Amino acid sequence: MNDVSRLPGAAHHHWQWQLRAACRNLGPGRFYHPAGERGPEREERDEAAKRVCAVCPVRAACLEHALRTREPFGVWGGLTEEERRMLLTARREPVGAGRAPAAGTRGSR
């Protein structure tokens, strides 16, 4: 079950960007993989979805929505669910976390 607590609510202006989405009338099959889909079939479907996203006028808004709501499935804003998870993880990690200072440099002052 999805956690709807992060959704922006029913205010029309929160969803207006979807009316201009390139995927609006394409159906979900290109953007959500069927259960058990793996390998070349999944990669081809993801790439087809990303081609639609690449020319979409609201790609940034779509991606921001997916990141903000932690959308767990499908291609949103040109990124797969795995790519979005990696992006969110990278955003949470402090710069240099877990790395030793480079040779010839001092640690924290």
Side-chain angles (χ1 to χ4, degrees), residues 34-85:
E37 181 184 57
R38 293 194 175 27
E41 293 82 15
R42 184 168 180 174
E43 290 172 16
E44 289 172 16
R45 186 195 40 74
D46 285 343
E47 290 305 314
K50 289 178 178 187
R51 285 192 294 275
V52 173
C53 296
V55 298
C56 184
V58 295
R59 180 180 179 179
C62 179
L63 178 57
E64 183 56 37
H65 167 77
L67 294 172
R68 184 178 63 250
T69 62
R70 307 298 195 266
E71 178 59 50
F73 304 108
V75 174
W76 287 74
L79 298 181
T80 65
E81 54 265 33
E82 293 87 5
E83 293 166 335
R84 290 192 307 275
R85 273 195 298 274

